[in-house]
Amino acid sequence: MLPALLLSVIAMTAIVALRYLAVSGAFAALTARVRPGYHDEMRGQIGREIGWSLASAAIFGIPAGIAAWGWNSFGWTMIYSDWTAYPLWYLPLSVLIYLFAHDTWFYWTHRAMHDPRLFKIAHAVHHASRPPTAWAAMSFHPIEALTGAVVIPVLVFLVPIHIAMLGVVLAVMTVMGVTNHMGWEMFPRRLVRSPIGGWIITASHHQLHHERYKCNYGLYFRFWDRLCKTDRGLSESFLR
């Protein structure tokens, strides 16, 4: 039992690390092509971002490995593979439930991390990326990494989700985490300024958080920022 659990944790750690390197590397390459010279004076920063991110991958791999082990070995989780187990309309709904729950957890823990004491201990690591790059998406102190690592593994024990839809959730989490930190806006201005764009977080919105710190705390949606009056709009540097 213990060897199987350990193997699951190691496998999930490797998957998280490789996913990070592949996705962040791809968008970093895109940045180098679209914004030549953007990374030229940030070699040291990027090295630190990669180092912290790989440490975070090990932390993310522990609860993910436990959840995967529980699913494969005992069927403990609410993950299912039979497309007919729940109505088809539940498939996209489950994705939205996971994303909203994750966004809610992230908003409040992220906002808490900006308490001066927690910021100095943990969150300052992430904000050391000035400006952030595609490599900064998982650049967290271990304390902050732990708060983010538990969300999806806990949800799979509570909320039913098809394995394919879980893949969609993880893909959205990974891609948005990276694209929101690239330092430039890859999505068309028409979309960013549209009614839909007014509720979805992209780099234009998250960049302002890295500039002002005390605003724009969300991960996927601007719902909590708007409700709690911490939404300060888009970065002026991106609007020029």
Side-chain angles (χ1 to χ4, degrees):
M1 183 180 294
L2 187 59
L5 174 58
L6 182 60
L7 183 62
S8 181
V9 168
I10 293 172
M12 292 308 299
T13 297
I15 289 171
V16 173
L18 291 172
R19 185 182 67 192
Y20 159 75
L21 291 171
V23 178
S24 289
F27 282 104
L30 178 62
T31 298
R33 181 173 182 176
V34 176
R35 297 286 190 275
Y38 181 78
H39 294 143
D40 285 355
E41 297 181 4
M42 290 189 274
R43 303 301 180 188
Q45 174 184 312
I46 290 173
R48 290 191 297 272
E49 290 171 350
I50 294 173
W52 284 112
S53 295
L54 292 178
S56 294
I59 294 172
F60 273 73
I62 295 171
I66 293 172
W69 171 73
W71 174 55
N72 285 321
S73 301
F74 304 102
W76 285 345
T77 72
M78 302 292 285
I79 301 171
Y80 63 95
S81 57
D82 182 357
W83 291 98
T84 64
Y86 289 84
L88 291 179
W89 56 259
Y90 180 71
L91 294 173
L93 178 61
S94 64
V95 172
L96 291 176
I97 291 172
Y98 270 66
L99 292 179
F100 184 75
H102 190 190
D103 188 71
T104 299
W105 174 260
F106 182 88
Y107 176 87
W108 290 106
T109 55
H110 186 193
R111 189 169 174 178
M113 285 286 173
H114 278 265
D115 175 275
R117 292 163 296 182
L118 283 175
F119 187 91
K120 184 177 181 180
I121 293 170
H123 197 46
V125 167
H126 186 65
H127 276 278
S129 296
R130 301 191 185 107
T133 75
W135 297 105
M138 290 182 62
S139 182
F140 303 130
H141 184 278
I143 293 175
E144 183 171 5
L146 184 60
T147 68
V150 299
V151 185
I152 303 300
V154 168
L155 284 173
V156 299
F157 284 95
L158 301 175
V159 183
I161 189 166
H162 191 278
I163 184 64
M165 296 301 100
L166 180 58
V168 171
V169 170
L170 295 175
V172 171
M173 178 180 73
T174 303
V175 172
M176 288 191 70
V178 174
T179 58
N180 288 350
H181 288 89
M182 289 199 302
W184 58 281
E185 183 60 76
M186 67 174 292
F187 296 103
R189 182 174 298 184
R190 181 183 301 176
L191 173 62
V192 174
R193 293 185 173 181
S194 70
I196 294 177
W199 290 98
I200 303 296
I201 292 173
T202 65
S204 299
H205 187 267
H206 192 67
Q207 179 73 15
L208 192 63
H209 172 75
H210 279 265
E211 294 171 359
R212 298 188 185 178
Y213 288 38
K214 294 291 187 178
C215 65
N216 296 13
Y217 296 106
L219 177 61
Y220 306 120
F221 311 114
R222 293 169 66 172
F223 172 80
W224 287 108
D225 274 310
R226 288 179 178 271
L227 184 66
C228 299
K229 302 186 185 306
T230 54
D231 195 307
R232 298 293 180 269
L234 309 180
S235 170
E236 292 295 328
S237 63
F238 278 42
L239 295 177
R240 289 198 295 267

